Amino acid sequence: MTIDDIIDFTGGLDGVLTLAPGPGDGSPEISWGDTFFYHAPDGTVPAAAQPFATIVTKDYPGEPSARLDRPGAFRVNIAAGREEFVRRTGRAPQDPAVAEEDHGLADTVMPHPVYGSAGWLAVVNPCPRTDDTLRELLRHAHGLARARHERRRDR
Protein backbone atom coordinates (compact mmCIF):
# COMPACT_ATOMS: atom_id res chain seq x y z
CA MET A 1 0.00 0.00 0.00
CA THR A 2 1.19 3.48 -0.76
CA ILE A 3 0.58 6.53 1.39
CA ASP A 4 -2.01 7.67 -1.14
CA ASP A 5 -3.78 4.28 -0.96
CA ILE A 6 -4.01 4.59 2.82
CA ILE A 7 -5.19 8.20 2.66
CA ASP A 8 -7.86 7.30 0.08
CA PHE A 9 -9.07 4.28 2.06
CA THR A 10 -9.11 5.94 5.48
CA GLY A 11 -10.43 9.26 4.19
CA GLY A 12 -13.29 7.36 2.56
CA LEU A 13 -14.59 6.08 5.91
CA ASP A 14 -17.71 7.84 7.22
CA GLY A 15 -17.08 11.21 8.90
CA VAL A 16 -13.29 11.20 8.56
CA LEU A 17 -11.36 14.45 8.55
CA THR A 18 -7.91 14.06 6.99
CA LEU A 19 -5.26 16.63 7.93
CA ALA A 20 -1.98 16.94 6.06
CA PRO A 21 0.02 19.72 7.75
CA GLY A 22 2.31 21.85 5.64
CA PRO A 23 4.03 25.21 5.39
CA GLY A 24 1.86 28.23 6.11
CA ASP A 25 -0.96 26.43 7.94
CA GLY A 26 0.31 27.14 11.46
CA SER A 27 1.30 23.55 12.17
CA PRO A 28 4.68 22.65 13.65
CA GLU A 29 7.30 21.97 10.99
CA ILE A 30 7.99 18.50 12.40
CA SER A 31 4.47 17.45 11.33
CA TRP A 32 4.82 18.58 7.71
CA GLY A 33 4.49 15.64 5.34
CA ASP A 34 2.56 13.52 7.85
CA THR A 35 -1.17 12.77 7.81
CA PHE A 36 -3.67 12.66 10.68
CA PHE A 37 -7.13 11.05 10.62
CA TYR A 38 -9.95 12.15 12.93
CA HIS A 39 -13.55 11.08 13.20
CA ALA A 40 -15.08 14.53 12.72
CA PRO A 41 -18.41 14.40 10.88
CA ASP A 42 -18.78 18.19 11.19
CA GLY A 43 -15.44 18.72 9.43
CA THR A 44 -13.66 20.41 12.34
CA VAL A 45 -10.83 18.97 14.41
CA PRO A 46 -12.32 17.67 17.66
CA ALA A 47 -11.15 19.67 20.68
CA ALA A 48 -11.12 16.66 22.99
CA ALA A 49 -9.97 13.85 20.70
CA GLN A 50 -6.75 12.52 19.28
CA PRO A 51 -6.50 11.17 15.75
CA PHE A 52 -7.48 7.52 15.41
CA ALA A 53 -4.67 6.93 12.91
CA THR A 54 -1.65 8.73 11.54
CA ILE A 55 0.92 8.32 8.80
CA VAL A 56 4.40 9.57 9.67
CA THR A 57 7.25 10.00 7.24
CA LYS A 58 10.07 10.59 9.69
CA ASP A 59 11.27 9.40 13.08
CA TYR A 60 10.13 11.82 15.77
CA PRO A 61 12.54 13.01 18.47
CA GLY A 62 12.50 10.77 21.53
CA GLU A 63 11.13 7.73 19.68
CA PRO A 64 13.10 4.58 18.98
CA SER A 65 14.10 4.72 15.34
CA ALA A 66 11.95 3.02 12.73
CA ARG A 67 14.57 4.07 10.17
CA LEU A 68 12.05 6.28 8.41
CA ASP A 69 14.94 8.20 6.86
CA ARG A 70 15.10 5.46 4.19
CA PRO A 71 13.76 6.58 0.80
CA GLY A 72 10.01 6.05 0.64
CA ALA A 73 9.75 4.79 4.23
CA PHE A 74 6.70 5.64 6.32
CA ARG A 75 4.78 4.24 9.29
CA VAL A 76 1.04 3.92 9.77
CA ASN A 77 -0.02 4.28 13.43
CA ILE A 78 -3.41 3.01 14.56
CA ALA A 79 -5.30 3.54 17.84
CA ALA A 80 -6.43 -0.08 17.88
CA GLY A 81 -7.52 -0.30 21.52
CA ARG A 82 -6.71 -2.91 24.12
CA GLU A 83 -8.59 -5.90 22.71
CA GLU A 84 -7.20 -5.55 19.20
CA PHE A 85 -3.72 -4.84 20.57
CA VAL A 86 -3.80 -8.10 22.55
CA ARG A 87 -5.19 -10.00 19.56
CA ARG A 88 -2.42 -8.75 17.27
CA THR A 89 0.56 -8.84 19.66
CA GLY A 90 -0.28 -11.54 22.19
CA ARG A 91 0.38 -9.19 25.11
CA ALA A 92 -1.45 -6.45 26.96
CA PRO A 93 -0.56 -2.85 26.09
CA GLN A 94 0.76 -2.19 29.60
CA ASP A 95 3.07 -5.24 29.52
CA PRO A 96 6.73 -4.36 29.04
CA ALA A 97 7.85 -4.00 25.45
CA VAL A 98 10.34 -6.42 23.99
CA ALA A 99 13.68 -4.63 24.37
CA GLU A 100 15.19 -5.92 21.15
CA GLU A 101 12.12 -5.19 19.02
CA ASP A 102 13.01 -3.85 15.56
CA HIS A 103 10.73 -0.81 15.11
CA GLY A 104 11.75 -0.48 11.46
CA LEU A 105 10.69 -3.97 10.40
CA ALA A 106 8.60 -3.53 7.25
CA ASP A 107 5.18 -5.05 6.54
CA THR A 108 4.68 -6.23 10.13
CA VAL A 109 2.01 -5.29 12.67
CA MET A 110 3.76 -4.31 15.89
CA PRO A 111 3.23 -2.18 18.98
CA HIS A 112 3.82 1.51 18.40
CA PRO A 113 7.32 2.31 19.72
CA VAL A 114 5.99 4.97 22.14
CA TYR A 115 2.19 4.66 22.31
CA GLY A 116 1.96 0.87 22.41
CA SER A 117 1.12 1.15 26.11
CA ALA A 118 -2.01 3.08 25.06
CA GLY A 119 -3.11 0.36 22.63
CA TRP A 120 -1.57 1.81 19.46
CA LEU A 121 -0.23 -0.49 16.75
CA ALA A 122 2.07 0.40 13.86
CA VAL A 123 3.06 -0.89 10.43
CA VAL A 124 6.15 0.35 8.61
CA ASN A 125 5.85 0.25 4.81
CA PRO A 126 2.76 -1.96 4.57
CA CYS A 127 2.88 -4.39 1.67
CA PRO A 128 0.66 -7.28 0.53
CA ARG A 129 1.20 -9.31 3.72
CA THR A 130 -0.37 -6.61 5.93
CA ASP A 131 -2.72 -4.96 3.42
CA ASP A 132 -5.94 -6.65 4.61
CA THR A 133 -4.93 -6.48 8.26
CA LEU A 134 -4.14 -2.78 8.02
CA ARG A 135 -7.52 -2.08 6.44
CA GLU A 136 -9.23 -4.06 9.23
CA LEU A 137 -7.30 -2.14 11.89
CA LEU A 138 -8.12 1.22 10.31
CA ARG A 139 -11.84 0.33 10.14
CA HIS A 140 -11.71 -0.86 13.76
CA ALA A 141 -9.93 2.29 15.02
CA HIS A 142 -12.40 4.42 13.08
CA GLY A 143 -15.28 2.55 14.73
CA LEU A 144 -13.79 3.17 18.18
CA ALA A 145 -13.35 6.88 17.39
CA ARG A 146 -16.91 7.12 16.05
CA ALA A 147 -18.29 5.47 19.20
CA ARG A 148 -16.34 7.90 21.42
CA HIS A 149 -17.63 10.82 19.35
CA GLU A 150 -21.24 9.62 19.70
CA ARG A 151 -20.88 9.12 23.48
CA ARG A 152 -19.57 12.68 23.85
CA ARG A 153 -22.31 14.07 21.63
CA ASP A 154 -25.05 12.30 23.61
CA ARG A 155 -23.94 13.68 26.99
Side-chain angles (χ1 to χ4, degrees), residues 40-83:
D42 64 358
T44 60
V45 177
Q50 295 292 317
F52 68 86
T54 66
I55 301 170
V56 297
T57 58
K58 68 200 74 63
D59 289 320
Y60 275 69
E63 288 186 356
S65 177
R67 298 184 308 281
L68 299 180
D69 56 349
R70 297 173 282 177
F74 65 96
R75 184 179 68 220
V76 182
N77 305 305
I78 309 111
R82 178 179 168 56
E83 289 178 23

Side-chain angles (χ1 to χ4, degrees), residues 107-152:
D107 201 25
T108 303
V109 176
M110 67 185 84
H112 185 281
V114 174
Y115 300 109
S117 61
W120 281 71
L121 295 171
V123 180
V124 173
N125 291 359
C127 294
R129 184 165 48 116
T130 55
D131 183 274
D132 290 340
T133 300
L134 182 57
R135 290 173 196 272
E136 286 174 28
L137 287 168
L138 289 166
R139 278 190 293 268
H140 179 76
H142 170 259
L144 293 174
R146 182 178 53 226
R148 280 190 300 275
H149 174 85
E150 290 170 0
R151 281 192 306 271
R152 286 185 185 113

